[in-house]
Amino acid sequence: AADLDPGCGDSYCSLAAVTAALGRDWEKAEMLFRLAIESNHSNALALNWLAIVLLVPQLRFAEAVDAVFAAYDLDPASPEIGNEIVWVRICCGQYGEAADQARRIVELHPLFVEACWSLAVAESASGNHVEARAALDRADRAGGPMAMTAALRCFADGARGDIEAARGNLARLEGWEDASAVRAIFRAWASAAIGDVEEGIRHLEQAVDDADPHAMYVEVFPPNARLRSHPRYPGILTRQRLRRLSAAASREP
């Protein structure tokens, strides 16, 4: 598509996302995102994807916030872009602000399941466990049974210390009717939630093998937190050409 129409920013945007997610070629992906933006400075999609696909995994938080808010300014009615602001805030460690934004999106778009997921993670990471469970109940009502919801229930259960409930939701995942819907990254989060870090890291390695996009957020997405102490974890970052978020590095944009 880019060859047929070099001025088509969306083709560069899609190619950039594939380059990042499949090849972890961050430099080339950024060049392609910049081409997409240069071809159309009003391309909200390119700015949005630049933030979440490239800048957040690269721990470039201030740039990610600027890019996602620039996308929002171009398309303030988009619930998807609003939800990506929530995602960026979660990855920046701004859980309270993320939860506030997610609540607004959920109220405006009650059937938008992704916003319910974001709200659940933000609330759980903030220690608001009752609210996190309510957000996941809302996700079930909006979208029906989904493996992502079950995986995040494991995370929320583990975060509030209810390991038996986490084990129950892990058992749900293990017996899921459509086994292909249960991605390795979901099993990694669920295993981490019950404290089985060895099993969690094995599934996380499989998620990297599968080029699962969620594996790019290992350093910043709360469900991965317990896996970061495993001796093989640095190798997961190396394989994805990702940096470690040092204790001295601020996530404040």
Side-chain angles (χ1 to χ4, degrees):
D3 288 342
L4 290 169
D5 184 1
C8 179
D10 285 352
S11 61
Y12 291 120
C13 187
S14 298
L15 187 56
V18 171
T19 299
L22 293 183
R24 303 299 197 260
D25 188 339
W26 304 108
E27 294 81 5
K28 183 177 180 180
E30 181 165 5
M31 180 268 292
L32 290 164
F33 275 128
R34 300 296 180 189
L35 281 175
I37 294 167
E38 287 170 12
S39 68
N40 177 7
H41 291 285
S42 297
N43 192 330
L45 177 69
L47 286 163
N48 185 33
W49 285 11
L50 172 67
I52 62 169
V53 175
L54 188 129
L55 296 174
V56 167
Q58 293 289 292
L59 312 182
R60 294 161 60 180
F61 300 116
E63 294 173 82
V65 169
D66 287 346
V68 77
F69 272 100
Y72 181 79
D73 288 342
L74 290 168
D75 191 2
S78 168
E80 289 81 7
I81 293 178
N83 188 54
E84 302 301 2
I85 292 176
V86 177
W87 181 273
V88 170
R89 286 199 182 281
I90 288 172
C91 293
C92 289
Q94 299 176 347
Y95 305 127
E97 296 92 332
D100 289 343
Q101 173 82 4
R103 286 188 211 104
R104 290 193 290 270
I105 298 171
V106 167
E107 290 305 316
L108 288 170
H109 307 278
L111 298 181
F112 187 28
V113 178
E114 287 86 346
C116 299
W117 292 336
S118 297
L119 177 58
V121 173
E123 296 283 29
S124 190
S126 299
N128 301 326
H129 304 304
V130 173
E131 292 81 355
R133 181 187 294 180
L136 292 168
D137 290 343
R138 196 162 189 165
D140 277 335
R141 292 195 298 272
M146 300 179 73
M148 176 78 161
T149 307
L152 291 180
R153 281 192 185 279
C154 292
F155 163 66
D157 292 337
R160 72 170 186 269
D162 192 343
I163 303 304
E164 286 309 306
R167 289 184 188 279
N169 280 300
L170 174 56
R172 284 184 62 207
L173 280 174
E174 296 294 350
W176 207 261
E177 183 176 357
D178 179 8
S180 66
V182 184
R183 293 152 50 189
I185 195 74
F186 297 164
R187 298 178 190 274
W189 299 341
S191 298
I194 65 170
D196 191 346
V197 175
E198 184 65 36
E199 187 71 358
I201 209 75
R202 185 177 71 81
H203 288 305
L204 184 55
E205 288 168 334
Q206 183 60 55
V208 175
D209 289 343
D210 296 341
D212 190 310
H214 272 97
M216 299 190 298
Y217 303 99
V218 289
E219 271 292 273
V220 290
F221 195 49
N224 299 302
R226 294 181 181 179
L227 303 176
R228 296 175 197 142
S229 62
H230 194 280
R232 295 205 304 275
Y233 178 75
I236 287 172
L237 293 180
T238 299
R239 288 179 58 195
Q240 299 190 94
R241 301 181 63 210
L242 295 173
R243 293 184 294 121
R244 192 82 194 239
L245 183 66
S246 69
S250 172
R251 291 201 284 182
E252 189 70 28

